[in-house]
Amino acid sequence: MTDAAVFKAACPDCRGSFELAAAALRLAIGGSRRTTFYSFTCPDCGASVRKPAGERIIQLLTGGGVRTLRLHSTA
């Protein structure tokens, strides 16, 4: 079921709107809002896009099978 998950996304560079499969997205969860984000490559212009991810976005992406990287503090 998670293989069929698609997510709506938009590129701030070319302003394209599209749907991406879970495999096209990456989620990074850090110790702060600044270090918690999701990223993808725009299929229209090839730009690397990074957007902040709040709790709801994290739930949707992880529930949809998006690969997650947990960032550890070096302190």
Side-chain angles (χ1 to χ4, degrees):
M1 183 169 165
T2 58
D3 291 336
V6 292
F7 300 92
K8 291 185 179 189
C11 177
D13 289 353
C14 72
R15 300 186 184 264
S17 293
F18 38 81
E19 291 185 344
L20 294 172
L25 294 152
R26 296 291 177 265
L27 173 63
I29 300 175
S32 70
R33 289 179 185 237
R34 185 175 170 196
T35 58
T36 301
F37 60 90
Y38 65 99
S39 62
F40 58 90
T41 299
C42 176
D44 293 342
C45 72
S48 294
V49 179
R50 177 175 159 166
K51 295 189 175 187
E55 286 298 318
R56 181 69 180 138
I57 298 294
I58 292 169
Q59 290 174 355
L60 289 171
L61 294 178
T62 55
V66 171
R67 187 175 300 169
T68 303
L69 172 66
R70 296 202 180 265
L71 306 174
H72 296 284
S73 172
T74 58

